Amino acid sequence: MAEDTQPTYEVLALRFGTHAGRPARDNFLFDEGQFPPGTDMPMDFYLWVIRNDRHLLLVDTGFPEEMALRRGRTLFRCPVDALADLGITADDVSDIVITHMHYDHAGNLDRFPAARIHLQEAELRFCAGPAMRHRAVRKPFEAVNVRTAIQGLFEERLVLHQGEAELIPGVTVHPVPGHTPGTQVVRVRTARGWVVLAGDATHLWDNIRLRSPFPILDHLASMMDGYDTIEALADGDDHIIPGHDPRVAQRFPRLAGAPDWVRLHEPALDGTPVAAASGAVR
Ligand SMILES: [Zn+2]
């Protein structure tokens, strides 16, 4: 009964960039023969807005042009500037969830100098700790983002969560380690049920559906456990929103007047849960 009185939210995704010309093989730890050699499988970049008439939450901050150029990624538009499509300025954002500290998720943190930042404590320990002495481990991190998070710590606006937490009624964060030690997902109550913004706990629908993890990872067994956690938190296969799947922007309805944004709080346009491996360009 109580659940019926819970508020629901709009959940909007912005596809702001892509990494095209990427072999499918690069998106999976093991070659299990699921993709013929020469198969391309691009990865897109997203950030997300959760809002209703009382609350506004930004999930991740994308990355700036300078990082895109340096890392060979294509930025369609600045994701922070694109918030204007929704009538939002950076100053309007009081709370940001950072799913994890990789450059493509925390890259514009310095554009929000007054916002509260919600991060798992384990993630801060990792990205500000001794593991960063390894080039292969720190590759997806940028020191500027770690410094910005620590600046927020000193300004008492970095909120370090130790596990699950309710941020606003009907929106919770849940630790799903594996990709990084402090990766968290966001569960949101919507009109179509519980939606999970999985971030990089699953990059693509194929990673979770095939139980075939993305190769950048901290702990394989935790990653596999995380797939079960995500499925338990979501109300269906299409309620799981992967962090980088091009099909997210293709399968959900566009926002009127702002077609770069799609509405994840509504059912997918094709109505049937995505089939595993259907995203490959053969
Ligand atoms: Zn990512």
Side-chain angles (χ1 to χ4, degrees), residues 43 45 100 102 104-105 179 199-200 203 243-244:
M43 274 202 352
F45 298 101
H100 63 299
H102 281 170
D104 52 323
H105 298 262
H179 180 57
D200 290 0
H203 285 63
H244 291 280

Side-chain angles (χ1 to χ4, degrees), residues 19-21 35 37 44 80 83 88 97 126 135 139 160 174 197 209 216 218 227 232 255 267 272 275 278:
H19 185 202
F35 305 109
D44 286 349
V80 179
L83 293 170
I88 299 168
V97 178
F126 187 64
R135 186 186 58 83
K139 199 165 181 265
L160 293 171
H174 304 258
L197 299 177
R209 297 291 300 280
I216 297 178
D218 176 61
Y227 295 145
L255 186 63
T272 48
S278 59

